[in-house]
Amino acid sequence: MFSWLGTDDRRKKEPEVFQTVSDGLKKLYKTKLLPLEESYKFHEFHSPALEDADFDNKPMVLLVGQYSTGKTSFIRYLLEQDFPGMRIGPEPTTDSFIAVMHGDTEGVVPGNALVVDPKKPFRKLNAFGNAFLNRFVCAQLPNPVLESISVIDTPGILSGEKQRISRGYDFAAVLEWFAERVDRIILLFDAHKLDISDEFSEVIKALKNHEDKIRVVLNKADQIETQQLMRVYGALMWSLGKIVNTPEVVRVYIGSFWSHPLLIPDNRKLFEAEEQDLFKDIQSLPRNAALRKLNDLIKRARLAKVHAYIISSLKKEMPSVFGKENKKKELIGTLGDIYKRIEREHQISPGDFPNLKKMQDQLQAQDLTKFQPLKPKLLEAVDDMLANDIAGLMVLVRQEETQRPNAVVKGGAFDGTLDGPFGHGYGEGAGEGIDEAEWVVARDKPAYDEIFYTLSPVNGKVTGANAKKEMVKSKLPNTVLGKIWKLADIDKDGMLDDEEFALANHLIKVKLEGHELPSELPAHLVPPSKRKIPE
């Protein structure tokens, strides 16, 4: 009699099967989340509807900072070439949002033409009007870096008297729009001016809920002495701590991201290490792009659900005939209480609710009587998506990642230090002696031999127990010493001869000097007498 109920139930519980993560996200959004958003005017309150280009586009990096912090120079440094429309100077020179993207030929596409192109993820920016579109361009050029990522350059954030001059569009709202859609947000600071202006503070607050995407770069760090750099770094962390309200400390990369000689080269090694860390973070974006889009869709779905509860609650409280205006004022004034009630009734985290003040301002212009009542079927579809379909897509994300292990950003500055003697750490630590004909360990071997012969070697070898007594004197943890033992015991006989013992001591020295141990023993560290042993 009720067989149709059982069939429908089964159909709901079985997640849909998709060919790619991108196709899956598009279909789930259009069939399950979009109907809920449209029914409760989500796009008027929070974010425009997503389009196919939002799911298909390359990972994007958004650069934000006060004027003259080196945003445009940073892009020039990554690409290792100029891009159309580029202007660099000490005063506010970039007065436009510039999307630097890959193209077969160099050229600039103006904003009004850009927002009608269905292949670009910018169509919804037309809502910000001509004042913004006249300040928005796309610079296209054939560059290997841009084959994997796109970079958004932004106007310098104003400080002092300049910030009073109106831009003619909501700058913070535009940045918030981009923040939702980009994969990485890089905040640039100049080591010489750390004052966070009112507009910059407002911008950072607009990036709330996207803290996981934010990285901070303390640029032009070669222009100050080491002692001063420590103070500047501390001051920056203190300033950020007051604005970015997260329990974790924001990751700050220190360096000078341009192609000029270092003014004060004392911290060269630090800058190289920091640059490598930042480059690795940016290079991982193509590999993690699908996971980021999935994560953003889940965040959007949670907000859409909460929004539906808020809108339907307001509709329920509105009178059908008299006293509509008075009731509207009362409901907007007590919106905080409505939030708490919804939080209790539906077990929703307070962090999932939209900003109270912003929501109250937006409700002023709305006719609350035209809001929709609660539609359980729309909410069930989103719950089903979150509970079942997303799990299926997670499996597909992992499969796509394993199929594309080499999906990293290549070209430009990313290739500059990849190979050859200027690669990070080349000739240092375990890499010392890589170009030398003589075995590098032989330099200190006489000193190691003296210790070796005090450990009662039998047939030219010391036992593990005897070697351990000497190795633990380094005070390194057993986990590290165990790794050194594995690297040094080349013939795997559980004992060390004089060459292997010297190698073990060399690796201990490498670690004590602050370098990382290699996962496998490099060819130049293998003792000469062992180099013919087949692996």
Side-chain angles (χ1 to χ4, degrees), residues 201-274:
S201 180
E202 188 185 329
V203 161
I204 295 174
K205 284 172 184 168
L207 303 177
K208 193 179 184 320
N209 300 326
H210 302 289
E211 287 91 349
D212 56 318
K213 299 178 182 180
I214 294 176
R215 303 290 183 272
V216 177
V217 170
L218 179 58
N219 203 12
K220 306 185 184 179
D222 68 311
Q223 299 178 15
I224 51 179
E225 301 281 354
T226 306
Q227 188 179 12
Q228 194 64 27
L229 182 60
M230 287 170 62
R231 289 181 182 145
V232 167
Y233 179 80
L236 176 60
M237 297 302 284
W238 181 78
S239 299
L240 285 171
K242 292 198 296 181
I243 300 169
V244 182
N245 295 317
T246 56
E248 303 87 12
V249 175
V250 181
R251 176 65 165 100
V252 177
Y253 298 90
I254 303 169
S256 286
F257 295 89
W258 58 0
S259 304
H260 297 270
L262 299 175
L263 284 181
I264 300 170
D266 301 3
N267 298 307
R268 185 188 189 103
K269 274 194 177 180
L270 170 68
F271 298 157
E272 284 175 4
E274 293 283 284

Side-chain angles (χ1 to χ4, degrees), residues 94-107:
T94 305
D95 63 346
S96 303
F97 280 81
I98 303 177
V100 187
M101 306 181 87
H102 188 268
D104 295 330
T105 54
E106 279 198 27

Side-chain angles (χ1 to χ4, degrees), residues 177-386:
W177 187 94
F178 275 110
E180 279 182 33
R181 288 157 178 79
V182 301
D183 297 69
R184 188 67 75 238
I185 302 164
I186 297 180
L187 299 180
L188 278 102
F189 288 86
D190 185 333
H192 282 102
K193 52 171 192 271
L194 290 182
D195 60 310
I196 297 180
S197 67
D198 294 345
E199 188 177 37
F200 201 4
S201 180
E202 188 185 329
V203 161
I204 295 174
K205 284 172 184 168
L207 303 177
K208 193 179 184 320
N209 300 326
H210 302 289
E211 287 91 349
D212 56 318
K213 299 178 182 180
I214 294 176
R215 303 290 183 272
V216 177
V217 170
L218 179 58
N219 203 12
K220 306 185 184 179
D222 68 311
Q223 299 178 15
I224 51 179
E225 301 281 354
T226 306
Q227 188 179 12
Q228 194 64 27
L229 182 60
M230 287 170 62
R231 289 181 182 145
V232 167
Y233 179 80
L236 176 60
M237 297 302 284
W238 181 78
S239 299
L240 285 171
K242 292 198 296 181
I243 300 169
V244 182
N245 295 317
T246 56
E248 303 87 12
V249 175
V250 181
R251 176 65 165 100
V252 177
Y253 298 90
I254 303 169
S256 286
F257 295 89
W258 58 0
S259 304
H260 297 270
L262 299 175
L263 284 181
I264 300 170
D266 301 3
N267 298 307
R268 185 188 189 103
K269 274 194 177 180
L270 170 68
F271 298 157
E272 284 175 4
E274 293 283 284
E275 181 183 280
Q276 286 301 311
D277 285 354
L278 180 59
F279 280 8
K280 278 179 192 169
D281 187 67
I282 296 172
Q283 283 183 297
S284 70
L285 295 180
R287 199 167 55 244
N288 301 327
L291 192 58
R292 193 275 302 168
K293 286 169 185 167
L294 186 66
N295 185 51
D296 282 357
L297 188 72
I298 295 167
K299 276 203 282 191
R300 189 181 177 100
R302 289 164 70 95
L303 179 59
K305 274 182 64 183
V306 172
H307 180 75
Y309 286 130
I310 295 166
I311 295 298
S312 57
S313 292
L314 293 170
K315 167 70 176 176
K316 191 177 174 184
E317 296 289 334
M318 283 298 285
S320 52
V321 187
F322 301 112
K324 292 179 184 176
E325 276 306 309
N326 288 337
K327 189 63 178 174
K328 176 181 170 180
K329 282 180 188 172
E330 183 193 323
L331 287 171
I332 293 173
T334 58
L335 189 62
D337 297 331
I338 294 170
Y339 274 19
K340 283 176 187 169
R341 192 178 74 238
I342 294 169
E343 187 187 321
R344 277 196 314 273
E345 286 176 9
H346 301 283
Q347 286 82 48
I348 296 168
S349 164
D352 286 353
F353 284 82
N355 181 276
L356 180 62
K357 178 74 173 69
K358 189 179 174 186
M359 193 74 177
Q360 287 172 322
D361 292 343
Q362 288 171 319
L363 285 168
Q364 299 288 354
Q366 296 285 339
D367 184 351
L368 272 56
T369 57
K370 290 185 179 173
F371 284 173
Q372 295 290 327
L374 198 65
K375 296 178 181 176
K377 278 195 174 180
L378 292 177
L379 286 160
E380 281 169 21
V382 175
D383 284 334
D384 179 51
M385 176 186 88
L386 293 170

Side-chain angles (χ1 to χ4, degrees), residues 152-181:
I152 314 293
D153 194 8
T154 61
I157 291 169
L158 305 175
S159 60
E161 195 66 30
K162 297 185 188 74
Q163 64 192 349
R164 297 183 188 175
I165 303 163
S166 172
R167 292 181 186 270
Y169 60 90
D170 191 338
F171 183 67
V174 172
L175 281 177
E176 192 175 352
W177 187 94
F178 275 110
E180 279 182 33
R181 288 157 178 79

